[in-house]
Amino acid sequence: MAPAFRTLRAFPIRSKLITISFVIAASMLSLTSHGINWDRLRTNIRALSGEEQIFNDWSNLILSSTENTTELKLQKVNNFFNRRLIYTEDIELWGQSDYWATPLESLSKKKADCEDYVIAKYFSLRNLNIPDAQLRLVYVKARIGGPNSSVTQAHMVLAYYPSSDADPLILDNLISEIRPASRRNDLSPIFSFNGQGIFAGAAANATLGPGGTGRLSRWQELLERAKKEGFE
């Protein structure tokens, strides 16, 4: 496994991706036991002025992939969102410096920034019965400009963990190919999270933070909005 995915790296906490407040949830909000209310989602994407076709394509992807292998589920979901959503900064898309969109909001706009790609993939894979324990949203510093570049930017990717000691597979909107973390030396993780809590770093055996029920405030707000839209 790449050293970058073994330990927590110390970086200046300055970017809008990292300066996020933490909250302790009074009640656990997770996608562990859930489903999709397709009728409510369809009603809500119409309310968002989204196109029926992209919603139908996404729903067909979910409904037709339940019996696929995990590898094929990862590939299909990763490819769908990388191809169908156009990268757009939050300030242009939402008029805010940092907004976490639900999958339905991203589909309605057909646009997303890095967090939104990851969120849409995470929700989709959870609804394809990929266990929450095997998925994490990972904040990273991504090196841009080639292997000798010292330029980095805040970024988010989705990691899939085949087992508790495995090299995670990285789903990324910057690189369409799903690669193991050991082949992503351009990424240095800061922390990771999922429906269980926040982890120090992104190693498969990383431990949950203090209390185990910590939530990023934006993550909790997003889960609440998604539930109202039809993600149950």
Side-chain angles (χ1 to χ4, degrees), residues 8-224:
L8 180 68
R9 294 289 187 89
F11 286 100
I13 311 301
R14 293 176 182 171
S15 85
K16 63 102 174 176
L17 285 177
I18 307 304
T19 54
I20 301 171
S21 61
F22 292 83
V23 297
I24 302 299
S27 62
M28 293 293 285
L29 281 173
S30 76
L31 298 175
T32 302
S33 299
H34 67 291
I36 290 181
N37 186 324
W38 291 108
D39 290 339
R40 191 190 304 171
L41 283 173
R42 188 177 296 278
T43 296
N44 281 313
I45 199 165
R46 288 170 178 165
L48 293 167
S49 300
E51 292 183 4
E52 290 271 331
Q53 187 59 57
I54 193 170
F55 178 82
N56 290 338
D57 291 345
W58 171 67
S59 62
N60 288 337
L61 169 69
I62 301 299
L63 295 172
S64 67
S65 301
T66 55
E67 301 303 318
N68 289 155
T69 64
T70 296
E71 180 182 5
L72 190 54
K73 290 176 182 179
L74 295 175
Q75 290 175 352
K76 285 189 171 184
V77 167
N78 193 56
N79 289 339
F80 180 85
F81 289 106
N82 283 359
R83 292 171 180 172
R84 301 300 293 272
L85 302 181
I86 299 171
Y87 181 86
T88 309
E89 295 285 350
D90 283 336
I91 194 66
E92 178 183 344
L93 189 54
W94 301 104
Q96 302 179 31
S97 60
D98 191 16
Y99 182 80
W100 289 17
T102 66
L104 206 62
E105 289 172 327
S106 295
L107 288 169
S108 69
K109 297 284 190 180
K110 295 197 288 188
K111 297 178 180 179
D113 74 349
C114 62
E115 301 105 319
D116 304 333
Y117 280 99
V118 172
I119 290 164
K121 294 172 186 179
Y122 173 82
F123 271 71
S124 297
L125 290 169
R126 291 292 294 114
N127 281 282
L128 283 171
N129 300 315
I130 304 296
D132 195 39
Q134 290 186 278
L135 294 170
R136 284 192 226 156
L137 301 84
V138 187
Y139 273 115
V140 300
K141 284 286 187 177
R143 186 178 66 249
I144 57 177
N148 298 320
S149 174
S150 60
V151 179
T152 62
Q153 66 180 22
H155 186 48
M156 184 187 279
V157 298
L158 183 64
Y160 168 74
Y161 298 81
S163 67
S164 60
D165 59 353
D167 191 3
L169 301 176
I170 304 302
L171 286 68
D172 190 357
N173 66 290
L174 296 179
I175 298 176
S176 293
E177 180 187 3
I178 297 175
R179 299 178 183 176
S182 57
R183 291 180 54 202
R184 292 302 305 273
N185 293 322
D186 57 317
L187 304 179
S188 298
I190 308 299
F191 65 90
S192 57
F193 63 99
N194 59 17
Q196 302 175 60
I198 301 170
F199 299 80
N205 61 355
T207 57
L208 283 167
T213 59
R215 282 293 186 270
L216 292 168
S217 59
R218 292 191 185 279
W219 181 232
Q220 173 145 344
E221 291 165 3
L222 178 128
L223 291 176
E224 291 171 346

